[in-house]
Amino acid sequence: MGVYSDSLQQTLTCIVASVVIVVCLGVWSAAASEPAQAVVERFDSLLLTTMKQGEQLSFDDRYDKLAQRIDQDFDIRRIARHRLGDRWSQLSKDKRRGYTARLRESLIARYAHTYNHYAGQRFDICGLRSLGRDSRQVEVALIDSHGMRRVTRYTVARDAGEWRVVGVSPATGFSGPETARLMPRDTPKALFGGLERRLEGGPRV
């Protein structure tokens, strides 16, 4: 009886292990087949971790954590060019470089300022649409504990084999036809750090 019981237990263990492997392979295959979605999910995972550590991390800490991921997975120059439209071609190389740098800082700072508190929220991919062979639109909803949803649409494109975010809607950071002229000389990191202190106790995500 003991031998039979051990054999049955081993069989069940093997079955469970096989099911787990099959499920994992399915998840990995799905991620591999949709690398654009994987880029957004990786960023959302970092945002959620940052939110959960919101009480321990300062604004600068959140900024530095998010900067590493955004530098890797966002094509800031392409986002900048898209936001300025025809005005981009009218700018000198130095002005393009300066605008792109300030837009990067603004983008990171806005995320660091906004995603600073955890209260049971979660991220769900709620849409995936092909915009062409090498471009996707990924919709992600931030859902709070009451079921309220905030949807962000990421445009993710492949260039030289790498999938990167090339557009965010609603726009995060400075934008508009006169942005290059109106952008403050102070870094958005310092700007939003001061803003966060002034808004302390205000609404959070």
Side-chain angles (χ1 to χ4, degrees), residues 183-196:
M183 265 191 182
R185 292 184 180 275
D186 292 336
T187 66
K189 181 176 180 179
L191 190 67
F192 280 100
L195 178 65
E196 183 179 70

Side-chain angles (χ1 to χ4, degrees), residues 37 124-129 137-141 149 151-152 154:
Q37 178 175 325
D124 280 351
I125 299 295
C126 56
L128 177 64
R129 183 163 64 96
Q137 184 182 81
V138 182
E139 293 188 358
V140 57
R149 299 161 61 90
V151 176
T152 303
Y154 293 92

Side-chain angles (χ1 to χ4, degrees), residues 8 11 46 54 118 120 125 131 152 200 202:
L8 180 60
T11 301
L46 178 59
Y118 180 73
I125 299 295
L131 301 178
T152 303
E200 191 174 73

